[in-house]
Amino acid sequence: MRIWLNKYFGFSKGEFNGLLLLILIIVVLKAIPIIYGYTRPMEKDPPNLLAQIQKIAIADENYRNNFRYRIGDPSPGKTVKLFNFDPNTLDADGWQMLGLSPKQAKAIINYTAKGGRFYKPEDLQKMYTISPEMYKKILPYVKITERELNVSGKYTAFDKKEYVKKVAVVVDINQADSAKLDEIKGIGGVFAKRIIKYRERLGGFYKKEQLMEVYGLDSARYAEIKDQISISNVPLKTININTAVFSDLKRNPYLSYKQINAIIQYRKQHGNYSNISDLKKIVILDQQVIDKIAPYIYF
């Protein structure tokens, strides 16, 4: 064999001997488990094995019985009384009368004391202390009262209030206060305050569409409320464009600081304005801006 390996693979004598040693080691390692299986002494069963197995079976049966009681079945001999109850207010004694153990009742009381709440009878299923059998038994007796938080942070019963739908009204947006504006369907307290603030800044509204310039009051909301508003003939607050200073004009939301400076500087250089057409001579004032400020200025 060595000659054949040397002929075809070029094995030397030392390499051949190393190969034989490797094969021998592999054979020994494979044979050890087999030899150990035949030579290992037989293990004997411990004494009283059957008695120990019986003890384990009895202990397991006791555990299962205790577990059944733990998840919500009444203990043997306990008097169970079913009655209508609100799980949010029932005390520990009441839960025990329904068939729960003191520990089970305490777990539910701790849940409600920490802010837990049952909003509907089916919420009782989330309590691990109530078994499916117990849940089915007491479900018909659950009567949850409508409740709300009081000042101290605790739930108190209250009578269910019906939502009062706003009656459609027509409100003068130039004279209405925030309470009156709040009567408009689609306008709440926040928008009422914004409308009044914008009205004061303008000096009054001269058309309904100006409401869409109020922050947050978009075209969709305007379409909802436009039939509920009106514009009175109350005079707008106007400013004399020939005597106005920077602070007078800056309240107008239609003019930028650059435009205000341009109006004042043009007046200083060319004299007073005689009519609205004179404002067209100011390069940075386009026709749209002029049309917007026209109702609020005079000459």
Side-chain angles (χ1 to χ4, degrees):
M1 182 177 179
R2 183 178 66 80
I3 297 173
W4 180 79
L5 290 172
N6 183 44
K7 179 179 179 181
Y8 290 98
F9 297 100
F11 271 45
S12 65
K13 183 177 181 180
E15 291 173 338
F16 177 75
N17 292 336
L19 178 62
L20 289 179
L21 179 61
L22 178 61
I23 294 172
L24 179 62
I25 292 173
I26 293 173
V27 171
V28 172
L29 291 175
K30 290 285 187 179
I32 288 176
I34 299 173
I35 297 172
Y36 178 74
Y38 284 105
T39 59
R40 183 183 62 181
M42 295 293 291
E43 294 182 358
K44 296 182 179 181
D45 294 334
N48 302 323
L49 176 62
L50 182 60
Q52 294 181 23
I53 293 174
Q54 291 176 345
K55 286 182 179 179
I56 293 173
I58 293 171
D60 182 64
E61 181 66 22
N62 291 336
Y63 172 79
R64 281 185 286 144
N65 290 336
N66 291 335
F67 182 76
R68 187 179 71 250
Y69 299 138
R70 181 176 63 83
I71 63 174
D73 289 345
S75 302
K78 175 181 284 189
T79 302
V80 176
K81 181 181 179 182
L82 297 176
F83 53 90
N84 293 337
F85 68 96
D86 183 345
N88 291 305
T89 58
L90 189 65
D91 58 15
D93 292 337
W95 286 110
Q96 292 181 53
M97 288 181 65
L98 291 172
L100 274 67
S101 70
K103 287 186 178 180
Q104 295 163 357
K106 184 179 180 181
I108 298 176
I109 296 300
N110 288 341
Y111 170 76
T112 54
K114 292 179 180 179
R117 175 162 166 73
F118 302 98
Y119 295 95
K120 56 184 183 296
E122 291 75 13
D123 288 346
L124 287 173
Q125 295 179 93
K126 63 187 177 183
M127 300 303 299
Y128 75 94
T129 55
I130 300 178
S131 68
E133 294 78 11
M134 176 66 74
Y135 168 74
K136 292 178 182 178
K137 188 183 299 182
I138 65 175
L139 182 61
Y141 299 92
V142 179
K143 309 294 179 186
I144 296 178
T145 307
E146 294 284 349
R147 311 177 71 78
E148 64 181 3
L149 282 172
N150 60 20
V151 178
S152 62
K154 297 181 179 179
Y155 281 104
T156 56
F158 72 98
D159 296 329
K160 190 173 181 180
K161 299 178 181 177
E162 294 185 0
Y163 173 73
V164 179
K165 188 176 181 180
K166 284 186 176 181
V167 180
V169 295
V170 177
V171 177
D172 181 355
I173 58 174
N174 269 337
Q175 294 185 340
D177 57 14
S178 58
K180 193 66 177 176
L181 289 171
D182 191 30
E183 294 180 9
I184 300 173
K185 184 181 178 181
I187 295 294
V190 173
F191 277 113
K193 292 178 181 178
R194 290 179 185 174
I195 290 171
I196 291 176
K197 186 175 181 180
Y198 193 72
R199 182 179 69 193
E200 292 174 349
R201 187 178 175 190
L202 278 174
F205 297 104
Y206 64 86
K207 62 179 181 178
K208 293 181 180 181
E209 289 76 11
Q210 286 178 284
L211 284 179
M212 288 187 285
E213 299 166 6
V214 175
Y215 176 73
L217 206 158
D218 55 16
S219 57
R221 190 178 294 272
Y222 172 74
E224 182 183 352
I225 67 172
K226 66 179 181 179
D227 295 331
Q228 304 176 63
I229 59 177
S230 64
I231 300 283
S232 64
N233 293 323
V234 176
L236 301 176
K237 292 181 181 179
T238 57
I239 300 173
N240 187 335
I241 195 69
N242 290 317
T243 59
V245 295
F246 187 89
S247 59
D248 296 328
L249 295 173
K250 74 175 182 179
R251 78 174 190 181
N252 192 299
Y254 301 134
L255 293 173
S256 67
Y257 283 8
K258 288 184 178 180
Q259 291 169 335
I260 294 172
N261 282 325
I263 291 172
I264 294 174
Q265 292 304 319
Y266 186 90
R267 186 182 68 197
K268 290 180 179 179
Q269 294 173 13
H270 301 89
N272 289 345
Y273 301 100
S274 58
N275 53 55
I276 199 72
S277 298
D278 289 343
L279 291 176
K280 297 179 182 180
K281 300 174 183 177
I282 302 174
V283 178
I284 63 173
L285 288 183
D286 56 30
Q287 188 60 48
Q288 185 180 9
V289 173
I290 293 172
D291 291 341
K292 286 183 177 181
I293 68 172
Y296 301 102
I297 60 174
Y298 67 94
F299 303 88

